[in-house]
Amino acid sequence: MTKISQIINSNDYPIIIVSILKNTKVYSLIDKEYSKNKINYDEVILRSKIFKNKRFNMIPESMINYGIKLTAILLSNNGEYFFRKILQEGWPQLYSYIRDCNKIIYEDVAKIKEYAAESFEMYAFYIVVLLGLLHNKRVSYETNEGKSFAQEFYKWRFSIIDDDPVLTEFNTILDESCTRTLGQINKEKILEERLTEDKNKNMFTALFGLLQTHNISLNDELGDYSTSMNLNDEDKELLNIYAISSKCLFDEILDNNVKKREMIDFVISARFLQGMIKKYEVLYKAYIELYKNNLIDGINLSNKIEQQEKINEKLISENQQLKEELRKMKEEQNKHEAQEIIKIKRQYESTIQEIADTIERYKEENEALKTVIEDLLQGNHYVNEEQIVNDIPKVTKGVIIGGSPQWQQNMKSIVPHYKFIEAHELNYDTKILENADRIYFNTACCSHPLFYKTINIVRKKKLDILFINNNSVTAGIKMFGQKSGQYTDKHLVS
């Protein structure tokens, strides 16, 4: 079975995305799987650089979002399973036919309603190719119509994939044609004809002489080249590369003597390169083994640089992805959904903010706290000199919070029947406030936690409270002559 990583890294992958997403029935499958583990799938796609390749420009904009989700799932540990599932549930009739048949016949496929109903025939047939890869089955045809379609399909495929001749597992679909081509070339003895032609014979003899001059021997890799008059299975790789690079089908090549000779000339020359490549791979492996200890530091440094680049790319991609999602959602969602967008935006902004420098974050918090205190000091719920009267009101249930120890001690001597909460006494029972006739809060000396705890209770229970900002005993005495005011949110910036 084809590995999912080979599919994703192949030049055909953009075609695969479009072929699958042409079937809108699979969208719900993608959404359901993606929602199960969205965070992990997002991490997978952000680490991948796959969508930076220009080949993905062929994917319609309407499919990009689902293309990203599908790729994230396929790149995960769940990729192999989901690839099989989406093909099985998206094309159940095709799946059953290809799973149970001995060989995929194009004429049989064309009769399947699922295939015929597709509006994009070439993309639809690519699903047949994928199912063939999944079940290790090859596609063949029985009529001239089928042969004609196969030629058109491969021409279409060659016309839109990348020009680089990268061999992937998808080339297994050409195996039958490749085998037939080998047989015909050997039967016509075209390879022998090209090898023994005077100008070619002289050229290859000279080439061997050049290699021997530099003490390079290819005998181990190529054998006796002059006696290799037939193509063999090892030459299939060369034939496939030539077909992909030239964007010619084997049937077209076999029907044209000039193209046959050109392909064989390539094979003859490429055999030399194959020998050199094998030697290079051996030398490269030996080099790495010899110097691997010296390369560790460089590799570690490279890994650190790459890791940092990935972090930066992740942040940029997260921001870009968020902007794109917000833009699309705003266009499609109603007023209620727009409110949900704001929540999502805040959630992302909060996550990004956590990455910011810790020192800067605390500076901002301190600035915010100063703003709160300044707003409180300017509020109209504070005692001023004009409002203070000389007599202490007869309040039976009063609570005094905050102030310096000395100030509180003096207040206790004046109103011993009041409840007192010290400036740093955070764990007091808030029921004391709920049962009080009046609450007095001295902000001149109190802890931030005490301040916020008291204010939250006062706000929640809508209790009467009076603030002072003075540790003067005289000012403390005068405050008892004031009228309490109802505390509301407008008095404090929360």
Side-chain angles (χ1 to χ4, degrees):
M1 184 178 69
T2 301
K3 297 294 184 182
I4 195 66
S5 60
Q6 293 173 320
I7 292 177
I8 295 175
N9 293 321
S10 70
N11 286 354
D12 296 71
Y13 188 58
I15 307 177
I16 295 172
I17 291 180
V18 177
S19 299
I20 292 176
L21 296 182
K22 287 290 183 184
N23 185 351
T24 57
K25 292 188 297 184
V26 305
Y27 286 20
S28 60
L29 291 175
I30 296 173
D31 284 332
K32 184 177 180 181
E33 176 61 31
Y34 190 77
S35 63
K36 289 180 182 178
N37 209 347
K38 181 179 183 301
I39 295 178
N40 285 346
Y41 287 141
D42 284 343
E43 289 288 338
V44 169
I45 200 64
L46 288 173
R47 288 196 301 268
S48 173
K49 299 179 181 179
I50 188 169
F51 278 90
K52 292 184 177 181
N53 194 307
K54 64 180 181 179
R55 292 185 290 112
F56 287 87
N57 293 337
M58 67 165 289
I59 302 176
E61 185 176 355
S62 60
M63 294 183 180
I64 287 295
N65 189 37
Y66 276 98
I68 292 173
K69 289 181 179 180
L70 175 60
T71 303
I73 297 171
L74 296 182
L75 283 171
S76 70
N77 295 333
N78 197 33
E80 295 280 355
Y81 165 77
F82 188 77
F83 180 64
R84 178 181 292 271
K85 178 180 179 181
I86 199 171
L87 291 177
Q88 183 174 9
E89 296 190 22
W91 295 266
Q93 296 178 46
L94 279 173
Y95 189 94
S96 298
Y97 164 73
I98 293 174
R99 179 193 60 197
D100 299 333
C101 72
N102 294 324
K103 181 187 293 187
I104 304 170
I105 307 299
Y106 167 76
E107 287 75 12
D108 292 339
V109 171
K111 296 176 184 178
I112 297 176
K113 181 180 178 181
E114 221 167 34
Y115 168 73
E118 292 284 351
S119 58
F120 291 84
E121 193 174 31
M122 293 301 180
Y123 285 108
F125 191 74
Y126 210 91
I127 298 299
V128 178
V129 174
L130 288 177
L131 288 170
L133 291 170
L134 190 65
H135 295 285
N136 197 26
K137 306 281 180 68
R138 296 190 179 96
V139 182
S140 60
Y141 46 83
E142 296 179 341
T143 64
N144 289 332
E145 180 184 354
K147 177 180 179 181
S148 176
F149 176 82
Q151 291 176 343
E152 290 301 317
F153 174 77
Y154 292 122
K155 283 183 179 179
W156 168 79
R157 177 189 168 209
F158 288 150
S159 70
I160 59 179
I161 65 173
D162 199 289
D163 291 333
D164 296 333
V166 180
L167 287 180
T168 69
E169 288 293 325
F170 291 105
N171 289 320
T172 58
I173 61 178
L174 301 177
D175 186 72
E176 186 174 348
S177 297
C178 195
T179 300
R180 188 171 67 254
T181 302
L182 287 177
Q184 183 169 336
I185 294 294
N186 289 336
K187 182 178 180 180
E188 297 179 6
K189 298 184 178 182
I190 299 175
L191 179 62
E192 180 179 353
E193 170 194 331
R194 303 305 292 171
L195 281 171
T196 57
E197 186 173 325
D198 287 342
K199 65 175 183 178
N200 290 342
K201 184 177 181 180
N202 293 336
M203 179 181 69
F204 294 132
T205 301
L207 180 57
F208 269 114
L210 173 64
L211 296 177
Q212 291 173 357
T213 299
H214 292 276
N215 295 321
I216 299 175
S217 174
L218 299 180
N219 289 336
D220 294 338
E221 288 76 21
L222 302 178
D224 187 355
Y225 197 90
S226 61
T227 63
S228 302
M229 299 299 182
N230 289 324
L231 296 177
N232 52 54
D233 285 343
E234 291 184 359
D235 293 312
K236 285 184 177 181
E237 178 186 32
L238 302 179
L239 295 182
N240 282 330
I241 289 176
Y242 184 83
I244 293 175
S245 301
S246 63
K247 297 184 178 180
C248 290
L249 300 176
F250 287 124
D251 288 338
E252 290 181 293
I253 295 173
L254 293 177
D255 292 337
N256 187 303
N257 290 330
V258 174
K259 289 184 178 181
K260 280 191 290 189
R261 288 194 296 270
E262 289 176 348
M263 182 175 69
I264 294 306
D265 287 348
F266 163 77
V267 171
I268 294 171
S269 300
R271 282 179 168 182
F272 285 92
L273 293 176
Q274 276 185 322
M276 296 296 291
I277 290 170
K278 290 178 182 178
K279 283 190 173 293
Y280 169 78
E281 289 174 345
V282 172
L283 291 173
Y284 182 78
K285 183 178 180 180
Y287 171 81
I288 293 298
E289 185 67 24
L290 182 62
Y291 291 102
K292 64 181 180 180
N293 292 332
N294 296 334
L295 295 173
I296 289 177
D297 291 339
I299 293 173
N300 289 339
L301 177 60
S302 177
N303 290 339
K304 289 180 180 178
I305 294 174
E306 183 178 357
Q307 183 179 9
Q308 188 60 45
E309 289 177 347
K310 287 181 178 179
I311 292 174
N312 295 338
E313 290 174 359
K314 175 184 175 182
L315 293 176
I316 294 172
S317 180
E318 282 179 344
N319 288 333
Q320 187 61 35
Q321 184 180 3
L322 176 60
K323 290 178 181 179
E324 184 64 18
E325 289 180 0
L326 289 175
R327 182 186 69 80
K328 291 181 179 180
M329 290 174 70
K330 286 178 181 178
E331 294 176 353
E332 300 172 358
Q333 310 265 338
N334 56 24
K335 183 177 179 180
H336 173 73
E337 292 169 334
Q339 293 175 350
E340 294 298 321
I341 293 174
I342 294 174
K343 292 180 182 179
I344 294 174
K345 181 179 178 181
R346 288 177 177 172
Q347 176 185 351
Y348 274 86
E349 288 176 345
S350 175
T351 302
I352 296 172
Q353 187 62 34
E354 289 177 0
I355 303 173
D357 188 273
T358 303
I359 297 176
E360 291 299 322
R361 185 172 70 249
Y362 282 125
K363 284 182 179 180
E364 292 176 1
E365 292 177 357
N366 289 336
E367 289 298 323
L369 181 60
K370 287 171 62 179
T371 301
V372 171
I373 298 302
E374 290 173 359
D375 288 346
L376 286 172
L377 293 175
Q378 296 174 1
N380 57 15
H381 48 282
Y382 274 93
V383 173
N384 54 46
E385 294 298 332
E386 289 75 16
Q387 294 173 319
I388 299 176
V389 297
N390 294 325
D391 295 332
I392 299 176
K394 295 180 179 180
V395 177
T396 58
K397 295 181 181 179
V399 178
I400 296 177
I401 305 173
S404 67
Q406 180 182 3
W407 182 84
Q408 278 210 357
Q409 191 63 35
N410 286 320
M411 292 300 99
K412 287 179 181 179
S413 65
I414 298 173
V415 281
H417 57 291
Y418 278 17
K419 299 291 185 180
F420 285 83
I421 299 173
E422 297 180 359
H424 298 281
E425 187 179 348
L426 181 60
N427 297 322
Y428 70 87
D429 189 354
T430 58
K431 290 184 179 180
I432 295 175
L433 304 182
E434 298 177 28
N435 297 326
D437 295 332
R438 181 176 291 176
I439 303 168
Y440 305 94
F441 200 131
N442 191 338
T443 59
C445 181
C446 70
S447 67
H448 291 165
L450 177 66
F451 175 82
Y452 287 119
K453 176 178 179 179
T454 304
I455 290 305
N456 287 336
I457 293 300
V458 169
R459 176 188 297 166
K460 182 178 180 180
K461 300 297 183 179
K462 297 183 178 180
L463 303 176
D464 290 337
I465 189 168
L466 187 64
F467 292 99
I468 68 171
N469 188 32
N470 197 320
N471 279 318
S472 166
V473 175
T474 303
I477 294 174
K478 289 182 179 182
M479 86 173 177
F480 294 103
Q482 299 306 300
K483 294 181 179 181
S484 63
Q486 184 67 33
Y487 179 85
T488 62
D489 286 347
K490 69 180 182 178
H491 297 133
L492 177 65
V493 177
S494 61

